[in-house]
Amino acid sequence: MDINIRCLFIAFFTLIPVFTFSQEQALKSIVQNDLKRHLTFISSDDLQGRKVGVGDGLERAAKYIEKIARENGLQPVKNSYSQNVGIISIRPDNSSSFLKVLNKVKNKTFEAPVICMDRHIFDLDLKGKPVFVGFGNYDTAGYNDYEGIDVDGKVVLISSGDLESFGANKDFQWNYRYEQEKMEAAFNKGAEAVVLITSPVDKKNQVFQQLEKWITRNSFTLQNENIENRNKYFIATPEFADFLLGGGRKYKDYLKSIIKEQKPNPLLPENNEVEIHIQRSVQMFHSRNILGMVEGSDAVLKNEFVVYMAHYDHLGIDENGDVFNGADDNGSGTTVLLEMAKAFASMKVKPKRSILFLWVTTEELGMFGSRYYSEHPVIPLANTVACINIDMVGRVYEPRDSVWKHSPKMVKDFDGLFTLINDVWPELNQISNSVCHSLGLVPDNSLPENFLRSSDHYYFHKNDVPILNVATGYHADYHKETDEVSKINFNKMKRVADFCFLVGYEVANLETISKIKIDVN
């Protein structure tokens, strides 16, 4: 045999896992009946959709996971199976949020509705001198709406849209990115606050109403998030600008004059002061990540960890009282982790590296559990050699799932599996593919790069940790009340659990792992 062919032959077959007796016994401990038993509880109506603020369902899920983790032989990490995660719920109070203008000469006031675009500003009372800067264009083809005026420390008023669309009297189209760029330019010039005035062309204030509906939804953030020095960015209607300029429809006339003259016309209305009042109701919730470990067998390598992760929360209950049980999303991943933890803990000869099992909270609200862990890791991220995130692994394609045919992540058939891997450690992809082939699974590595931000693995990816996201894909019941345990394919779940176990086992036993520094920004 040619020496080059022989080398390739040897290299190929060394990638195929050879299951030891210990591995085989561990895989046998992962059984479909236990997967079904755990998932039946996790996705039951009694757990109320496992959402923060909806009854005690999420905490009951956490207690169950912790109980099974203990029973399966996982060790606590730093004497605990929990990592507390504080979540703040924020809801705007429209009745107490408004813009007020005081005309000191005429001794008149005008109060107008306002939208605060930063949901993390809770309470605000601000006063300042207003200044109009037309459409807020800055350094575009030599045109500068800030020409000849100092906006430092002032409340800057900008018209939405641009000269071209307003001048042509076109139907107004909201362009969030464009308006965001204008807002940022104003703050870069020293503005204390920015008030974007919706277009007078939008006669029924439809844009304002749509933004108000969007921004007044309940939102969440981490308790420890820095909310100081936020950009004070607001939306108001033309009626507010009309009053500042003296009444009538003077704001529209002001914009028309800019179009007609084709030159900037910044204005500093005299004897006027703007007050901005923002009020939001704030509620504190306590949730937690659940974690447990299997200590490695090598005296040195046991200080490095393979992290298995899945989020255990879901979407709660809708206004009709229907429960989002989230059997696949992500009861399936939660359950696979429980069974894999049992498998690793049962091994008489443990892998060289340690294994951390991490069930994270509030993925559906904004990946807060994984974010909090990345900012407060119980195991240094520098010691984390890989993160395997398991998110939705219980379904097999059926014709009605074709509603996702235009998505790159439509649910796979019985043999298919999505394996999303970043570029930090290329060998992880080789290991994943090899294990898939040994189990008769067909890996799909084609998901676009934006999926690196789509689940809890993002915060490991962001910190240069090699990640593998495992999923079977989107189905017709995704984020619906119909995501029930009766639709789960437990045979497929068992195959996924075996795959994840074998990949992690192989990574945990490698002598060296050489990571590559990447730019994730």
Side-chain angles (χ1 to χ4, degrees), residues 24 55 87 123 217 243 305 335 338 349 391-392 424 510 521:
E24 289 179 346
I87 306 293
D123 297 289
R217 295 178 302 173
F243 182 86
F305 283 74
T335 299
L338 288 172
V349 180
D391 193 352
M392 296 178 60
V424 177
L510 290 175
N521 295 322

Side-chain angles (χ1 to χ4, degrees), residues 106-126:
K106 297 182 179 180
N107 196 28
K108 290 184 178 181
T109 60
F110 179 82
E111 194 171 292
V114 65
I115 300 170
C116 178
M117 294 297 284
D118 189 333
R119 298 184 185 196
H120 297 163
I121 293 178
F122 302 156
D123 297 289
L124 177 69
D125 287 296
L126 181 149

Side-chain angles (χ1 to χ4, degrees), residues 332-429:
S332 61
T334 297
T335 299
V336 164
L337 249 65
L338 288 172
E339 283 296 281
M340 282 198 302
K342 178 179 68 176
F344 274 105
S346 70
M347 299 184 78
K348 291 183 179 180
V349 180
K350 301 296 192 292
K352 294 178 181 179
R353 290 182 176 82
S354 299
I355 311 291
L356 176 69
F357 293 90
L358 176 61
W359 291 267
V360 293
T361 185
T362 56
E363 187 268 354
E364 301 288 2
L365 294 181
M367 304 189 298
F368 294 129
S370 55
R371 175 181 163 187
Y372 186 85
Y373 179 88
S374 73
E375 294 172 355
H376 307 85
V378 297
I379 303 299
L381 294 180
N383 290 14
T384 303
V385 298
C387 172
I388 301 173
N389 180 35
I390 306 170
D391 193 352
M392 296 178 60
V393 291
R395 294 291 290 268
V396 171
Y397 175 81
E398 53 186 270
R400 68 193 191 94
D401 297 326
S402 62
V403 294
W404 289 96
K405 64 183 178 182
H406 297 299
S407 168
K409 202 177 180 181
M410 183 175 70
V411 66
K412 292 291 186 180
D413 61 17
F414 185 68
D415 293 324
L417 194 65
F418 288 104
T419 53
L420 177 68
I421 300 172
N422 63 5
D423 296 328
V424 177
W425 178 42
E427 191 174 346
L428 181 57
N429 192 48

Side-chain angles (χ1 to χ4, degrees), residues 89-98 113-121 207-220 235 278-282:
S89 168
I90 309 162
R91 185 178 295 277
D93 180 357
N94 291 341
S95 63
S96 301
S97 299
F98 54 86
V114 65
I115 300 170
C116 178
M117 294 297 284
D118 189 333
R119 298 184 185 196
H120 297 163
I121 293 178
V207 168
F208 184 89
Q209 293 170 19
Q210 290 168 1
L211 289 172
E212 185 176 43
K213 184 177 181 180
W214 171 73
I215 205 69
T216 53
R217 295 178 302 173
N218 199 23
S219 61
F220 297 84
I235 309 290
I278 301 297
Q279 183 72 46
R280 286 184 164 117
S281 59
V282 177

Side-chain angles (χ1 to χ4, degrees), residues 53-258:
V54 180
D56 63 350
L58 186 63
E59 175 57 21
R60 290 182 62 190
K63 288 180 178 178
Y64 181 85
I65 294 166
E66 181 178 344
K67 172 178 176 290
I68 301 301
R70 290 174 183 267
E71 291 175 355
N72 286 344
L74 292 190
Q75 302 173 31
V77 183
K78 297 182 179 178
N79 300 315
S80 179
Y81 290 94
S82 287
Q83 181 184 52
N84 293 328
V85 181
I87 306 293
I88 297 175
S89 168
I90 309 162
R91 185 178 295 277
D93 180 357
N94 291 341
S95 63
S96 301
S97 299
F98 54 86
L99 279 170
K100 182 183 287 186
V101 183
L102 171 63
N103 187 309
K104 297 179 179 179
V105 173
K106 297 182 179 180
N107 196 28
K108 290 184 178 181
T109 60
F110 179 82
E111 194 171 292
V114 65
I115 300 170
C116 178
M117 294 297 284
D118 189 333
R119 298 184 185 196
H120 297 163
I121 293 178
F122 302 156
D123 297 289
L124 177 69
D125 287 296
L126 181 149
K127 294 182 180 180
K129 291 289 293 182
V131 54
F132 285 90
V133 291
F135 294 94
N137 290 323
Y138 178 53
D139 285 344
T140 55
Y143 184 97
N144 183 3
D145 274 316
Y146 294 88
E147 185 178 318
I149 196 163
D150 180 14
V151 301
D152 188 45
K154 295 182 174 63
V155 178
V156 176
L157 291 91
I158 303 173
S159 173
S160 58
D162 56 30
L163 285 79
E164 181 181 356
S165 61
F166 186 84
N169 201 29
K170 297 178 180 178
D171 290 339
F172 179 70
Q173 299 293 323
W174 175 259
N175 184 331
Y176 178 80
R177 179 172 294 182
Y178 178 60
E179 305 301 348
Q180 186 80 4
E181 289 173 355
K182 294 196 297 184
M183 177 270 290
E184 291 172 356
F187 283 116
N188 288 337
K189 299 288 283 184
E192 172 67 17
V194 176
V195 179
L196 186 74
I197 311 296
T198 57
S199 174
V201 177
D202 183 15
K203 296 179 181 178
K204 295 183 179 180
N205 288 328
Q206 292 179 334
V207 168
F208 184 89
Q209 293 170 19
Q210 290 168 1
L211 289 172
E212 185 176 43
K213 184 177 181 180
W214 171 73
I215 205 69
T216 53
R217 295 178 302 173
N218 199 23
S219 61
F220 297 84
T221 187
L222 280 174
Q223 179 184 6
N224 66 336
E225 182 166 356
N226 180 16
I227 59 173
E228 300 296 327
N229 301 317
R230 312 284 303 197
N231 281 339
K232 304 174 183 70
Y233 176 34
F234 310 94
I235 309 290
T237 61
E239 289 78 12
F240 164 70
D242 284 335
F243 182 86
L244 269 174
L245 293 172
R249 298 178 63 84
K250 290 189 177 180
Y251 178 59
K252 188 173 184 179
D253 293 339
Y254 164 68
L255 297 178
K256 283 182 176 180
S257 70
I258 295 175

